[in-house]
Amino acid sequence: PLIIYKTIKNNQVIYNLALQTYGVTFNSNQSGVIILFDDGTKMNKPSTKVNVDYSNSGYEYRSFIFLTENDMKILSTKRIKKFRLYIYDKDIEPMYSNKFTKLVKCIMDSK
C-alpha cells in the first residue's frame, strides 16, 4: 500500500510517495490525502488527486504525492498508523510501518 520513490535528475532530488487502498463504492475526480501517525499527528495533502480504477477486489484508489524535504524528515522519524485517500482508509500494520520508516531513512541517505 506504500511505495516511496527517489529520482535524481540534473543533480536535483525528487521524492514521491504512492499510496493505494480499496473501496466498495465508486468516486471519481476526488482529492485529499491524510496520513495519520502513531503519535496522533497527521500529514494533510488536501489538493492531492485520488485516482480510481476497477479491479477484482473492488475499486482501487491511488495517489501519487510529491514530498518535500520536511515531509521526508517526518516520514523518516514517525510511524504511519493509517492513511486516507479521499474517504477510503488503509490501516498499516506496526511491523510494516517500522520497516517503512527505516526504508525512508535509507532512501534519503542513498546517493
Side-chain angles (χ1 to χ4, degrees), residues 36-39 74-75 77-81 94 97-98 101:
L36 180 65
F37 299 101
D38 66 352
D39 66 358
I74 292 169
L75 291 171
T77 58
K78 296 186 178 196
R79 292 180 306 209
I80 296 174
K81 182 177 181 179
S97 183
N98 288 335
T101 301

Side-chain angles (χ1 to χ4, degrees), residues 25-76:
T25 57
F26 178 77
N27 286 286
S28 65
N29 297 319
Q30 301 299 328
S31 59
V33 174
I34 298 171
I35 300 172
L36 180 65
F37 299 101
D38 66 352
D39 66 358
T41 61
K42 60 185 170 181
M43 182 182 292
N44 194 1
K45 302 286 186 180
S47 60
T48 299
K49 186 167 174 45
V50 176
N51 298 305
V52 61
D53 283 319
Y54 183 76
S55 74
N56 293 337
S57 302
Y59 295 101
E60 183 179 292
Y61 290 89
R62 295 181 318 276
S63 282
F64 197 71
I65 305 164
F66 171 77
L67 298 170
T68 65
E69 287 289 331
N70 190 53
D71 292 338
M72 290 297 291
K73 288 177 186 173
I74 292 169
L75 291 171
S76 70

Side-chain angles (χ1 to χ4, degrees), residues 92-110:
I92 305 299
E93 294 179 29
M95 182 181 75
Y96 187 79
S97 183
N98 288 335
K99 287 181 180 181
F100 185 76
T101 301
K102 291 175 185 175
L103 177 64
V104 171
K105 289 177 188 174
C106 288
I107 287 177
M108 288 175 67
D109 292 341
S110 69

